[in-house]
Amino acid sequence: MLFSWTFISCFLQIPILVCSYTSSECLVRMNYRIHGEGNVVIIGYFPAYAIYPLNKTTDWRMLKFNRDFMVEIKLKNYQCILAMMFAIEEINNNPYLLPNKSLGFEVNNISQGQRYTLANVFRSLSTSTCVDLNYRNAHESNFAAVLTGPSWAISEYIGTLLDLYKFPQLTFGPFDSLLSEQRQFSSLYQVAPKDTFLTLGIVSLMLHFHWIWVGLFIIDDDKGAQTLSDLKSEMDKNGVCTAFVEMIVVSKGSFFTKSWKNQVQILESSSNVIIIYGDSDSLLSLIINIKQKLLTWKVWVLISKWDVSKFDDYFMIDSLHGALIFSHHHEEIPNFTEFMQKSNPYKYPKDTYLHVLWHIFFNCSFVKKDCKIVNNCLPNASLGFLPGNIFDMAMSEESYNVYNAVYAVAHSLHEMILNQVQFQDHEKGKKMVFFPWQLHPYLRKTLFNQDEVNEVLDWKRKSHVEYDILNFWNFPKGLGLNVKVGTFSPSAPKNQKLSISSNMIQWATGPAEIPQSVCSESCHPGFRKTHKEGIVACCFDCTPCPENEISNETDMDQCVKCPETHYGNTDKIHCLQKTVTFLAYDDPLGKTLCFLSLGFSSLTVAVLGLFLKNRDTPIVKANNLPLSYTLLITLMLCFLCTLFFIGHPSTASCILQQNIFGLLFTMALSTVLAKTITVVIAFKITAAGRIRRWLLISRAPNFIIPLCTLLQVFLSGIWLTTSPPFVDKDAHSEHGHIIIICNKGSAIAFHCTLGYLGALALASYFMAFMSRNLPNTFNEAKFLAFSMLVFCSVWVTFLPVYHSTKGKVTVAMEVFSILASSTSLLGIIFVPKCYIILLRPERSSLHYIREKSYARRKKNLNT
């Protein structure tokens, strides 16, 4: 069975720069060529060269053409041509794919400008020198599809025309949402995967190196606006901020002025990382400015691999050295590198490009008219001999897409032919003819069907695209290596999506340390971030954590409060266990108070013993001996009750210390009150002698003691019933300590008790003050008045001190007040009597009393 020839046409525009001496005849040969014998021919359009006027300085890559022009050969395109040739040879050698048919291809140059591009397309489709839109010569072969790329603009130009004829078009440049519009480009298929997770990959890279302050360069078009929205949304979710955003207008020549105006912003920006989002063609002017005019020592993050041979400057260091590049991951194609190394003008004599390259780089003699080399070439010359910055032997992303595009067309043709053979009857020897639009169902099945079993196109069935992260090494200048340093896989687990080897990366600032890009220096542990109103979240001040709060991580927004049982250390980075403490017996303060308590109680016992021993003396009998005994016993118990305040508090001790204190002091003060009333009755009351005598004989003032005590018992009962004292913990008064104290329960009840005692003290003071000048040899009214004055002064001073101190100091102050007030009563009332008994016993005799009384009467008579 005979088959008609099938053409696959390719329009490729991939800029790589190399120049050569040539002639107009040679240019014609380079512009159009057919290579490879076979039934099926693939036609490709490449920007193989460009012509420039001689109005700027030339170098070894910009060589003179005729008299007024130069020719720029775009060498990087040639790898795409080789990828197409390699794929076609594999298919032709595969007996199971397109049997009895062979593929060929045709390559055409794309001139600058939309007009010339469309003219070349018309010329190819009509196979005629003169273009006739409604006429096509009878051709031995059929065109099956057109490959275009990588520029979206070229694909759009050609796609607008091809869609009119439903001609299949495959573009292998970066995925563009504009080209995926089915209404406008229903016949266009994008081979490159969609960059759905590229923004996530970029942000993950920023977070890995803690770069949270970055600049953005993005193309100013619909795609750029959508990209900016997606990127900023992802950055905002992860705490990455933008230092500046530059939207780049894609118009040749217009960006040079704008970039020079904004280069000051780039240089002065505190951001050391700048993301460039866009294809290499659109950002050509920007990259030229960066490489030749901005030596910034910044880290550039790119989404395209730049053609380093396209730029030339006179600096030893390249500004893009150390850049990180996101590139689609693709598997290595077996034998492709070997195929490129074996490609030479002798193997492919019709390949004009190979002749030109051999002439330039290997010093071969060259016949300009025929564009062919002759002898005198370097033996065993190969493309592998060329420097990496001139011709990269590693398969580029575009070449990989070209390779897959050719296979997609081949599989689609194979399925279509099988379908025609199976369902259509043909006469023997009659050629099978098809129209290009008939290929669409099979292309859709090949490219988009998840069940397609095809190892070559296996990448199409992956749910997520993987990216290689490349590091651009260009020091010394001209090295031009893209070294793989990591990967990004969106389908991997959360913390394993990004894998990168930091030690392999060469940074523009040197290999020693990873560059930093932050608006504000990190807040170290012990500090928290304080954001300023109206400023992005990445710019902040560092504020020390408050008392008892910590931050044990860098850049914490809020400090963490330590639990009640812990406290923050000096650096505010750890919570330490608080020490439990109380007014213990082994504490120095506790020991002192305990010693004073026992000492004064012992002294009181001694005074009581002294009074018992000398109970028959006038000085002891003169001031109501039973009341003196009662007061001394009460004072001894007052001194001892302070022991309830020392030691580990318990519920019993908390209840006893407050109530016993209240009862004992009530008894002491009521006893003093009874003493003063007794004196007043004896000397001041002017009632009938019978009544006064009855009051003194019946000892009626002594009933004041139980009455006042019962009233205090009543107050204590109400206190214990409503809100009794309890054991409490004070975790705030003393840093690093939890103080166990007795909580009063009801502060009102406590202050009522103090008020009641104060009232008794004032009453006693008033009575004693009235009887201070009575004519009695052993009148103690003055001492009682003064003791009450000191007693009131102690407790009036106690109240503000009590409310201004915390913890065990408060307890100590209360104990001290009890001791001080009790000591004032003991010392002022009883010490003078003890002095007379022990040191001046003659003053306590009857003889001394009579003489003193006689002297007082004589004095009164004289006056």
Side-chain angles (χ1 to χ4, degrees):
M1 181 180 293
L2 298 178
F3 298 96
S4 63
W5 291 19
T6 304
F7 287 81
I8 300 180
S9 176
C10 295
F11 299 81
L12 307 176
Q13 186 193 30
I14 311 173
I16 286 191
L17 192 81
V18 170
C19 300
S20 162
Y21 291 105
T22 184
S23 64
S24 57
E25 294 85 354
C26 186
L27 289 178
V28 173
R29 292 177 180 271
M30 293 172 65
N31 186 60
Y32 181 85
R33 67 195 178 102
I34 296 179
H35 174 72
E37 300 292 337
N39 305 102
V40 181
V41 178
I42 301 176
I43 300 179
Y45 277 78
F46 291 82
Y49 64 86
I51 302 176
Y52 294 96
L54 276 172
N55 56 0
K56 53 184 176 179
T57 304
T58 61
D59 57 24
W60 66 273
R61 292 168 300 172
M62 300 292 289
L63 303 179
K64 189 174 181 181
F65 161 58
N66 290 341
R67 184 174 62 184
D68 300 319
F69 297 93
M70 294 174 297
V71 175
E72 176 189 14
I73 298 180
K74 302 181 179 182
L75 188 58
K76 186 178 179 181
N77 293 344
Y78 191 66
Q79 192 189 84
C80 294
I81 299 174
L82 292 177
M84 180 183 291
M85 295 167 57
F86 177 70
I88 289 174
E89 287 194 9
E90 278 192 339
I91 294 170
N92 288 338
N93 294 329
N94 186 351
Y96 303 104
L97 185 60
L98 292 177
N100 300 325
K101 296 182 72 67
S102 60
L103 292 177
F105 66 90
E106 177 182 306
V107 176
N108 289 268
N109 181 59
I110 295 180
S111 302
Q112 296 179 355
Q114 181 178 5
R115 172 186 175 185
Y116 298 104
T117 299
L118 296 181
N120 286 339
V121 175
F122 284 131
R123 185 177 296 108
S124 295
L125 295 180
S126 64
T127 66
S128 174
T129 303
C130 298
V131 178
D132 188 343
L133 300 181
N134 297 316
Y135 170 77
R136 182 165 185 255
N137 290 340
H139 203 283
E140 295 182 355
S141 303
N142 290 321
F143 293 122
V146 172
L147 307 183
T148 61
S151 171
W152 61 269
I154 293 297
S155 299
E156 181 183 9
Y157 295 158
I158 299 176
T160 304
L161 173 64
L162 296 180
D163 192 65
L164 297 176
Y165 301 97
K166 302 303 178 184
F167 206 101
Q169 177 188 2
L170 289 83
T171 176
F172 53 87
F175 189 91
D176 192 288
S177 57
L178 178 64
L179 298 179
S180 62
E181 178 60 44
Q182 290 296 318
R183 294 180 181 180
Q184 187 175 0
F185 302 102
S186 59
S187 301
L188 187 143
Y189 305 91
Q190 299 193 67
V191 181
K194 189 175 182 180
D195 290 321
T196 306
F197 295 94
L198 181 56
T199 54
L200 177 60
I202 293 175
V203 174
S204 298
L205 181 68
M206 301 297 106
L207 296 177
H208 177 81
F209 290 115
H210 305 288
W211 295 333
I212 59 173
W213 187 239
V214 300
L216 295 178
F217 281 106
I218 298 181
I219 299 295
D220 189 7
D221 56 14
D222 294 339
K223 180 182 179 181
Q226 183 61 45
T227 299
L228 177 61
S229 175
D230 296 341
L231 188 57
K232 291 199 71 174
S233 175
E234 195 68 39
M235 291 168 66
D236 292 341
K237 286 193 297 184
N238 292 276
V240 181
C241 304
T242 54
F244 62 87
V245 178
E246 283 293 328
M247 303 301 291
I248 304 167
V249 179
V250 183
S251 178
K252 185 176 180 181
S254 65
F255 186 69
F256 283 98
T257 303
K258 183 177 180 181
S259 63
W260 272 109
K261 289 180 179 179
N262 294 335
Q263 71 168 332
V264 176
Q265 180 184 10
I266 300 173
L267 293 171
E268 294 182 352
S269 173
S270 58
S271 171
N272 292 321
V273 176
I274 299 177
I275 302 171
I276 303 179
Y277 202 110
D279 60 84
S280 56
D281 284 349
S282 301
L283 300 177
L284 177 61
S285 299
L286 171 64
I287 299 302
I288 290 176
N289 275 274
I290 292 173
K291 292 179 69 69
Q292 296 185 349
K293 302 177 179 66
L294 297 179
L295 197 60
T296 59
W297 308 105
K298 296 183 183 292
V299 178
W300 303 88
V301 179
L302 316 174
I303 64 166
S304 298
K305 288 191 289 185
W306 306 97
D307 174 19
V308 297
S309 69
K310 201 167 186 58
F311 315 102
D312 184 42
D313 54 57
Y314 301 98
F315 295 101
M316 185 65 180
I317 301 175
D318 185 358
S319 294
L320 289 179
H321 171 70
L324 296 173
I325 306 168
F326 277 82
S327 177
H328 289 113
H329 173 76
H330 58 80
E331 302 298 332
E332 293 295 328
I333 302 299
N335 304 321
F336 180 64
T337 302
E338 181 182 357
F339 173 81
M340 289 193 294
Q341 290 175 343
K342 291 182 179 180
S343 298
N344 57 65
Y346 306 106
K347 183 178 180 181
Y348 302 108
K350 295 182 180 180
D351 192 335
T352 308
Y353 293 107
L354 285 176
H355 289 272
V356 174
L357 295 179
W358 252 246
H359 166 60
I360 295 173
F361 295 106
F362 303 123
N363 199 26
C364 298
S365 300
F366 189 70
V367 180
K368 294 182 180 181
K369 182 177 181 180
D370 298 328
C371 267
K372 291 183 179 294
I373 61 170
V374 291
N375 296 325
N376 302 324
C377 286
L378 179 68
N380 300 321
S382 169
L383 291 174
F385 291 179
L386 301 181
N389 64 319
I390 300 300
F391 188 85
D392 192 355
M393 296 296 291
M395 192 174 206
S396 67
E397 186 176 328
E398 292 84 359
S399 298
Y400 184 76
N401 291 340
V402 169
Y403 179 85
N404 282 305
V406 173
Y407 262 95
V409 174
H411 277 277
S412 301
L413 287 170
H414 185 81
E415 289 294 326
M416 184 182 66
I417 292 172
L418 288 180
N419 185 72
Q420 289 181 348
V421 171
Q422 182 178 0
F423 295 102
Q424 298 181 18
D425 295 329
H426 298 280
E427 297 179 5
K428 186 176 181 181
K430 186 177 180 180
K431 294 182 180 180
M432 182 178 294
V433 180
F434 72 92
F435 296 97
W437 56 264
Q438 293 177 308
L439 197 61
H440 284 300
Y442 305 97
L443 274 174
R444 294 190 187 98
K445 180 181 178 181
T446 303
L447 289 172
F448 305 117
N449 189 358
Q450 300 296 315
D451 298 327
E452 177 68 27
V453 181
N454 180 6
E455 294 182 359
V456 177
L457 299 176
D458 184 65
W459 56 273
K460 263 295 179 184
R461 293 192 300 278
K462 293 182 179 179
S463 58
H464 300 295
V465 179
E466 295 184 0
Y467 296 92
D468 291 333
I469 301 176
L470 310 177
N471 184 216
F472 180 52
W473 294 2
N474 203 26
F475 180 79
K477 193 67 177 290
L479 181 62
L481 296 180
N482 289 310
V483 180
K484 181 179 177 179
V485 295
T487 59
F488 176 74
S489 178
S491 59
K494 183 177 181 180
N495 296 326
Q496 301 176 15
K497 295 181 185 295
L498 182 70
S499 174
I500 194 164
S501 301
S502 302
N503 58 330
M504 293 180 58
I505 300 177
Q506 290 190 7
W507 304 105
T509 55
E513 58 182 292
I514 299 173
Q516 300 297 313
S517 185
V518 294
C519 179
S520 301
E521 291 296 328
S522 295
C523 291
H524 298 293
F527 293 81
R528 65 180 179 87
K529 296 192 294 185
T530 304
H531 299 282
K532 298 179 180 179
E533 187 176 356
I535 301 179
V536 294
C538 297
C539 301
F540 50 82
D541 294 327
C542 294
T543 305
C545 288
E547 187 69 26
N548 215 37
E549 294 186 11
I550 67 164
S551 63
N552 54 8
E553 296 180 3
T554 303
D555 288 338
M556 290 189 66
D557 291 318
Q558 296 294 334
C559 297
V560 179
K561 192 171 184 178
C562 292
E564 288 285 336
T565 57
H566 291 72
Y567 68 98
N569 64 343
T570 306
D571 296 329
K572 308 289 184 66
I573 59 176
H574 295 296
C575 286
L576 304 178
Q577 183 76 37
K578 288 183 177 180
T579 304
V580 177
T581 184
F582 49 88
L583 188 59
Y585 288 105
D586 55 355
D587 186 87
L589 183 60
K591 287 181 179 180
T592 301
L593 295 175
C594 183
F595 174 78
L596 291 174
S597 174
L598 294 176
F600 283 118
S601 62
S602 300
L603 182 61
T604 306
V605 172
V607 172
L608 179 60
L610 183 63
F611 269 50
L612 288 173
K613 183 179 179 181
N614 298 278
R615 60 183 177 274
D616 296 327
T617 59
I619 194 171
V620 174
K621 295 171 64 177
N623 298 110
N624 201 332
L625 185 60
L627 290 180
S628 295
Y629 290 159
T630 303
L631 182 58
L632 285 171
I633 294 172
T634 304
L635 288 176
M636 180 190 65
L637 295 176
C638 285
F639 285 123
L640 292 176
C641 82
T642 57
L643 298 178
F644 287 117
F645 292 84
I646 305 172
H648 195 290
S650 62
T651 303
S653 64
C654 289
I655 293 174
L656 288 175
Q657 65 181 217
Q658 300 300 330
N659 290 276
I660 295 297
F661 153 72
L663 289 173
L664 291 176
F665 267 78
T666 299
M667 290 182 64
L669 292 175
S670 60
T671 301
V672 173
L673 180 61
K675 274 178 167 286
T676 57
I677 291 176
T678 301
V679 174
V680 170
I681 292 173
F683 295 98
K684 283 287 187 179
I685 294 180
T686 60
R690 185 183 301 174
I691 297 175
R692 184 172 61 180
R693 189 179 304 111
W694 176 82
L695 290 174
L696 292 174
I697 293 173
S698 63
R699 300 182 182 275
N702 292 353
F703 290 101
I704 294 175
I705 299 173
L707 290 176
C708 293
T709 303
L710 286 175
L711 182 58
Q712 177 59 38
V713 170
F714 176 74
L715 291 175
S716 297
I718 295 175
W719 187 356
L720 293 176
T721 304
T722 56
S723 180
F726 58 91
V727 179
D728 196 8
K729 293 180 180 179
D730 182 5
H732 307 287
S733 298
E734 190 173 344
H735 182 71
H737 293 81
I738 297 177
I739 304 173
I740 301 178
I741 58 174
C742 287
N743 193 300
K744 300 296 188 294
S746 174
I748 296 176
F750 175 69
H751 287 88
C752 285
T753 299
L754 292 181
Y756 178 60
L757 295 177
L760 291 176
L762 288 175
S764 300
Y765 172 75
F766 178 73
M767 289 296 181
F769 185 79
M770 289 175 59
S771 57
R772 67 186 185 284
N773 294 321
L774 294 178
N776 188 8
T777 302
F778 300 109
N779 184 15
E780 62 179 355
K782 293 181 180 180
F783 300 112
L784 293 175
F786 184 64
S787 66
M788 291 298 98
L789 182 63
V790 174
F791 183 90
C792 291
S793 300
V794 169
W795 287 102
V796 168
T797 305
F798 164 77
L799 287 175
V801 176
Y802 174 80
H803 288 288
S804 63
T805 56
K806 298 292 183 181
K808 61 183 181 181
V809 178
T810 304
V811 180
M813 286 303 303
E814 188 171 357
V815 173
F816 180 78
S817 298
I818 294 173
L819 293 175
S821 56
S822 301
T823 303
S824 68
L825 295 177
L826 177 65
I828 295 173
I829 296 175
F830 293 100
V831 167
K833 295 180 176 60
C834 293
Y835 171 77
I836 294 173
I837 293 172
L838 295 175
L839 300 179
R840 305 296 295 271
E842 69 277 5
R843 293 186 178 182
S844 186
S845 62
L846 292 175
H847 177 71
Y848 177 79
I849 295 172
R850 291 190 188 102
E851 288 183 352
K852 189 174 181 182
S853 299
Y854 175 76
R856 185 183 299 112
R857 287 195 300 268
K858 185 177 180 180
K859 183 178 179 182
N860 291 334
L861 291 173
N862 292 333
T863 57

